[in-house]
Amino acid sequence: MSEATLRKRGALDATDDDVETVDASKLEQPRKHRPRPFFSKTLGSLVVSIILFLWLQTDFLQNLLGSRISTVKEWEVVPGGVVRQVDFSADIPKRDAIVKAFKHAWAAYERDAMGNDEYHPIEKKGSNLTEAGGIGYFIVDSIDTMQIMGLQEEYESARNWVANKQSFERDGNFNTFETTIRVLGGLLSAYHFSDDDPIFLERAQDLADRLLSAFDTPSGLPKPMVNLKMRTGVNDAGYASLVSTAEASTLQLELRYLSFLTDNDEYWHKAEKVMKVIKAARLPSGLAPIYMSADNGQFLISDIRLGSRSDSYYEYLLKQYIQTNRTESVYREMYEDAMQAIHKTLLLKGVKKHMTWTAELLPQHRPANQIDWQLQPKQDHLVCFLGGSLMLGATVTGARVRSVPIPPTASDLSIAGKRDWMTGSQLIETCMDTYDTPTGLAPEIAHFYVPDDGRERVGEQDWYIKGNESPDNPSYDARYILRPETVESLFIAFRLTGDIRYRDYGWKIFQAIEKYCRVETGGYASILDVSNAQSKLEDKMETFLMSETLKYLYLLFSDANVLPLNEYVFNTEAHPFPVFTPSIRTGFS
Ligand SMILES: *[C@@H]1O[C@H](CO)[C@@H](O)[C@H](O)[C@H]1NC(C)=O
Ligand SMILES: *[C@@H]1O[C@H](CO)[C@@H](O)[C@H](O)[C@H]1NC(C)=O
């Protein structure tokens, strides 16, 4: 049995008086070149298990990050300010501006690309994920936002398409995770907000029945892709049995809700098995590397980070606990364990403004089967979900009372809850700092200065965009692709604090999107270089603009009784599901 299973609820509170933050100056210098990806070509051999054995024996991370301990003693409601007045009524002009933007985006898609999975607003055309034809990726991802915004005409059109044109009989390989969070998640929310229009549940069930084939592996971890027509799971080319941790662990809210709606336990049991496997695979550090083996259910030695391939693993630990109306303490324990690990090993402070940021660790092979962990001082925009998530968690797993006031006071939260609340609000400030660019938009990836990194310190910020020297040739890191994570955190933070600063932040971001991403003839596009006010656009409007970015902005400016956080849980694509008390219990602890 792993350490975590022995740990009793609340044990964190008792033992965790001190919050450790890692002092960047004590860390090993990052090397100049990004090492070769560990999983280049040799994956098949999986020598990994021997090394993994050694890995399990060492307390490598603490050794690596010989840390200075600093204690969070001061309690603040939000850093830098105290909330004076909590006003949760809608800001109607701003809310309506968001609705207008949504209509501008949808109208262009409907005009140029209805029925296609993806939309390119500059060329004014659509494309599909596979050559087998569309599955309603774009449309289904947009429906619940229409319902929430009350857009009747748009809704009728989308619903008609689902009822008359949508088909999953597609002979192509679709990503298990993306299809689940966007299409299955979208259908389930649409079903809820339509007052149980049976067409949405019928489609959801058809899709889920096809997706279940992914789970047919020795460990029960799902394959990354599914051929929807053939109903078979498909491996990534060249990477047999490799699954990404986040992709395996971000299907549970959807499948559990479907089980609840249909009274069919099968969906839930498949998804639940994954959580059991992940729990059993726990490493001594409590951190989750980004890859697992679908053969043996173990973690593979691979990057440790909070961004891509890992982010929503942490998000769904908390949200599974919330979705089940706090009846399944196993998720609470897993979540608390993970947040503890993050605080121990991945949080750092910037060298100039001392902002809180999160690092990545890359495994390095050394002779004699050793592994060194190399600090990678970069934070994906994706990590910006974590600020809001930590604050939400603080009011749930970190609360001393079932229903915390808004904003919470120090005595409402446990020690871990206070820690998470503080870190969460600090991370939101850091994410907002990455929007402090000539366009007012944040880069896809921010690198942070660390002591002795030999870099020239440009500007006042703790971070920079790596390799972005020439305006003609912006680096990949410099783009903003309409991502939602920061406004998601702003929405949650506003609902939990009532602090108007979060609405102000959200409005600034929205205005920057309007100024730099809006395509006059319809739709919104990604921007290639956030540090250049003359930047070119990339001809793509991601579906998460419809499902997440504009929904969270709309909710930020709505009255707080629209989708209250204690009654709804948002899937990782921002599709809200109601909280329920399950009759099916999780079969492990
Ligand atoms: C995408 O799929 C839809 C639905 O099958 C089809 O109507 C459309 O023509 C396809 N688009 C392209 C660009 O092939
Ligand atoms: C959640 O649990 C609480 C406390 O047991 C109960 O009062 C409430 O009705 C439950 N909510 C739902 C949606 O089941």
Side-chain angles (χ1 to χ4, degrees), residues 68-217:
R68 193 187 69 185
I69 294 173
S70 72
T71 308
V72 178
K73 292 213 178 72
E74 303 281 312
W75 169 254
E76 302 167 82
V77 175
V78 280
V82 171
V83 178
R84 278 177 198 89
Q85 199 187 348
V86 180
D87 178 4
F88 279 117
S89 53
D91 183 330
I92 292 165
K94 294 197 171 80
R95 191 195 63 188
D96 290 353
I98 312 295
V99 175
K100 211 170 136 202
F102 183 91
K103 290 173 78 140
H104 179 74
W106 173 261
Y109 167 78
E110 190 176 26
R111 176 193 69 203
D112 302 332
M114 188 71 182
N116 284 262
D117 289 332
E118 302 191 291
Y119 180 48
H120 311 279
I122 297 171
E123 261 203 85
K124 302 198 185 110
K125 61 177 221 191
S127 62
N128 290 318
L129 297 167
T130 77
E131 287 181 359
I135 56 170
Y137 209 61
F138 192 100
I139 295 172
V140 172
D141 223 9
S142 308
I143 294 177
D144 61 6
T145 310
M146 297 166 179
Q147 294 168 311
I148 292 163
M149 291 180 173
L151 298 175
Q152 197 56 31
E153 218 175 286
E154 287 82 355
Y155 170 69
E156 296 292 344
S157 162
R159 189 218 171 258
N160 264 338
W161 189 90
V162 169
N164 302 313
K165 301 252 174 72
Q166 189 172 34
S167 166
F168 298 121
E169 195 66 5
R170 302 286 186 216
D171 191 2
N173 297 338
F174 293 85
N175 182 289
T176 309
F177 154 78
E178 298 284 359
T179 308
T180 300
I181 64 167
R182 300 194 204 208
V183 188
L184 181 58
L187 288 166
L188 291 171
S189 282
Y191 178 68
H192 173 74
F193 291 112
S194 68
D195 283 328
D196 302 353
D197 181 338
I199 188 66
F200 294 119
L201 188 57
E202 207 177 289
R203 291 278 183 268
Q205 227 172 322
D206 177 27
L207 176 58
D209 289 342
R210 296 165 191 267
L211 289 169
L212 285 188
S213 57
F215 294 88
D216 192 10
T217 63

Side-chain angles (χ1 to χ4, degrees), residues 438-440 471-472 474 515-516 526-538:
T439 56
D472 300 328
K515 182 157 181 202
Y516 291 100
S526 308
I527 174 172
L528 286 173
D529 185 357
V530 297
S531 66
N532 177 2
Q534 266 78 51
S535 169
K536 292 203 181 77
L537 295 174
E538 185 187 29

Side-chain angles (χ1 to χ4, degrees), residues 228-249:
L228 291 177
K229 180 180 158 80
M230 309 310 285
R231 298 172 189 253
T232 47
V234 178
N235 287 320
D236 264 333
Y239 292 96
S241 88
L242 184 71
V243 299
S244 113
T245 305
E247 293 190 10
S249 58

